[in-house]
Amino acid sequence: SGRQPLKGMAIVITGTLPRPRDEIKDLIISLGGKCPGSVSKNTNYVLAGEEAGSKLEKAQELGVQILDWDGFQKLTGTGQK
């Protein structure tokens, strides 16, 4: 598609989401982003699903922006129109 709305962004996934995690990870990468396994001060967003655990707490501690699934779809432009 050539669209890279996530270019240079690091998005950490935590919790249970409506799509398989590997699929979401592939989507993030295809949109130009990175999908690190842990939260750091260089993380742009944490995509938090149901039962998000320690990564969510770490994000809140570091002041990293939290996305829910709807927010993620808005950010990536992948929501149902």
Side-chain angles (χ1 to χ4, degrees):
S1 65
R3 271 187 354 107
Q4 291 209 318
L6 305 183
K7 194 167 179 57
M9 287 188 200
I11 300 179
V12 175
I13 303 169
T14 184
T16 307
L17 290 147
R19 305 244 79 83
R21 193 172 291 209
D22 286 346
E23 203 177 292
I24 299 169
K25 199 174 273 196
D26 289 346
L27 175 65
I28 290 169
I29 291 164
S30 74
L31 295 174
K34 295 190 292 287
C35 200
S38 60
V39 178
S40 75
K41 63 182 194 315
N42 301 321
T43 307
N44 297 90
Y45 296 101
V46 170
L47 171 55
E50 301 293 312
E51 290 159 26
S54 58
K55 289 178 185 175
L56 181 58
E57 287 166 26
K58 183 88 190 277
Q60 288 164 335
E61 232 168 81
L62 294 172
V64 172
Q65 200 167 335
I66 315 292
L67 288 173
D68 61 9
W69 184 244
D70 287 346
F72 175 74
Q73 289 186 302
K74 285 195 184 79
L75 182 72
T76 57
T78 55
Q80 302 309 310
K81 296 284 176 282

